Amino acid sequence: MGASDSQIKDQLINKPEFQKYLKQICFNVPQNIINKNHYDNILGNLKQFNVIRIGSTPLGDRLFNVLNAKNNGKITSEILYQFLTQLNVNKESRCEYTFQAYSFEGQSIQSTVSEKNFIEIVVDSWERAFTGLVELLPENQKQDGDLIENWSKSENQKLLIRKAAQMSFKNFSKSQNNKVDYLTFKNWIYSEKEDKIVAKYDGKVVVVPLTLYKFTK
């Protein structure tokens, strides 16, 4: 009997080569200080190991802010390395960091996720997915790209996505105050019902994750 898809993914991500490569790219920055460009580039380079796209996404942007806030505004190579190692080996850490990304407000991590933040991340992820899709289209499909971009960013479409996100939040939160705690939010993550935004056109696909639970594709 052959290995399952999940077993193959686990074998791939847990290879010593992954940790070796991760350490190499995390520490290959000036003075071992990670800025946003370093962060996005490092995360982007992990796609060869089937790691989901985190860099340059709303979820990834918020995670960068979380790491900044937890480390006094200074993300070092060691901090990023440990963060990505945790995501690699620990599913609970994936849930915790997803929660922190959604609950981040102002300059700090809150104890609950608000409906407002949830909707904002979903809508921003929708826009980012279709922006990324348009960027993949060749020059001879520029007109198609313009139509896709205008459609995805139209007020009517954003209103539909906003309403869908609001309904999703109300369904899993059962909350009277438009906020959810960690355990309730984790149950939503575990459900894996709405864990990503997928934009497709003419064979091109862009996936923007809404959670970290499936760290590998």
Side-chain angles (χ1 to χ4, degrees), residues 113-120 166 169-170 178-179:
V113 172
S114 69
E115 180 182 290
K116 172 180 170 292
N117 279 359
F118 183 84
I119 292 173
E120 181 179 294
Q166 184 179 42
F169 186 87
K170 290 188 181 302
N178 298 324
K179 293 183 179 181

Side-chain angles (χ1 to χ4, degrees), residues 12-208:
L12 181 63
I13 201 70
N14 288 321
K15 281 184 176 179
E17 286 86 349
F18 175 76
Q19 287 301 129
K20 181 179 179 181
Y21 181 74
L22 186 59
K23 179 168 283 191
Q24 177 186 333
I25 60 173
C26 284
F27 286 86
N28 189 29
V29 296
Q31 300 179 326
N32 288 338
I33 299 297
I34 305 292
N35 62 30
K36 186 60 165 58
N37 285 336
H38 296 144
Y39 171 85
D40 285 336
N41 288 336
I42 288 169
L43 292 174
N45 284 331
L46 298 182
K47 64 183 179 182
Q48 63 184 291
F49 292 96
N50 275 355
V51 171
I52 60 173
R53 176 188 175 187
I54 303 172
S56 301
T57 68
L59 179 61
D61 293 348
R62 281 177 166 266
L63 286 168
F64 182 82
N65 292 336
V66 165
L67 291 175
N68 252 331
K70 293 175 75 171
N71 296 283
N72 300 314
K74 184 178 180 180
I75 303 176
T76 64
S77 296
E78 181 65 27
I79 288 168
L80 184 60
Y81 174 73
Q82 293 299 334
F83 163 67
L84 292 172
T85 297
Q86 279 184 294
L87 296 185
N88 176 24
V89 301
N90 191 319
K91 288 186 176 181
E92 186 67 26
S93 289
R94 298 175 196 175
C95 293
E96 289 172 355
Y97 274 110
T98 300
F99 176 80
Q100 289 169 13
Y102 277 77
S103 65
F104 190 85
E105 199 160 327
Q107 298 297 318
S108 60
I109 301 164
Q110 307 300 314
S111 60
T112 58
V113 172
S114 69
E115 180 182 290
K116 172 180 170 292
N117 279 359
F118 183 84
I119 292 173
E120 181 179 294
I121 292 176
V122 172
V123 173
D124 288 350
S125 297
W126 164 270
E127 288 193 29
R128 196 75 61 93
F130 281 91
T131 297
L133 180 65
V134 170
E135 290 171 354
L136 292 179
L137 298 180
E139 187 62 30
N140 62 3
Q141 289 184 308
K142 186 179 184 305
Q143 188 173 7
D144 293 351
D146 290 342
L147 290 172
I148 292 170
E149 187 164 21
N150 290 336
W151 168 77
S152 66
K153 292 184 177 180
S154 68
E155 288 305 315
N156 285 342
Q157 192 59 36
K158 285 197 287 187
L159 181 60
L160 288 174
I161 300 304
R162 186 175 296 278
K163 286 183 176 179
Q166 184 179 42
M167 182 63 68
S168 173
F169 186 87
K170 290 188 181 302
N171 284 341
F172 77 77
S173 69
K174 310 297 183 187
S175 172
Q176 300 302 311
N177 60 358
N178 298 324
K179 293 183 179 181
V180 293
D181 60 15
Y182 175 63
L183 290 179
T184 304
F185 191 75
K186 186 166 72 168
N187 287 334
W188 170 72
I189 295 173
Y190 280 165
S191 74
E192 299 183 24
K193 291 179 180 177
E194 302 146 330
D195 61 348
K196 58 186 173 292
I197 301 291
V198 181
K200 298 180 180 180
Y201 181 74
D202 197 27
K204 306 289 192 302
V205 181
V206 172
V207 178
V208 173

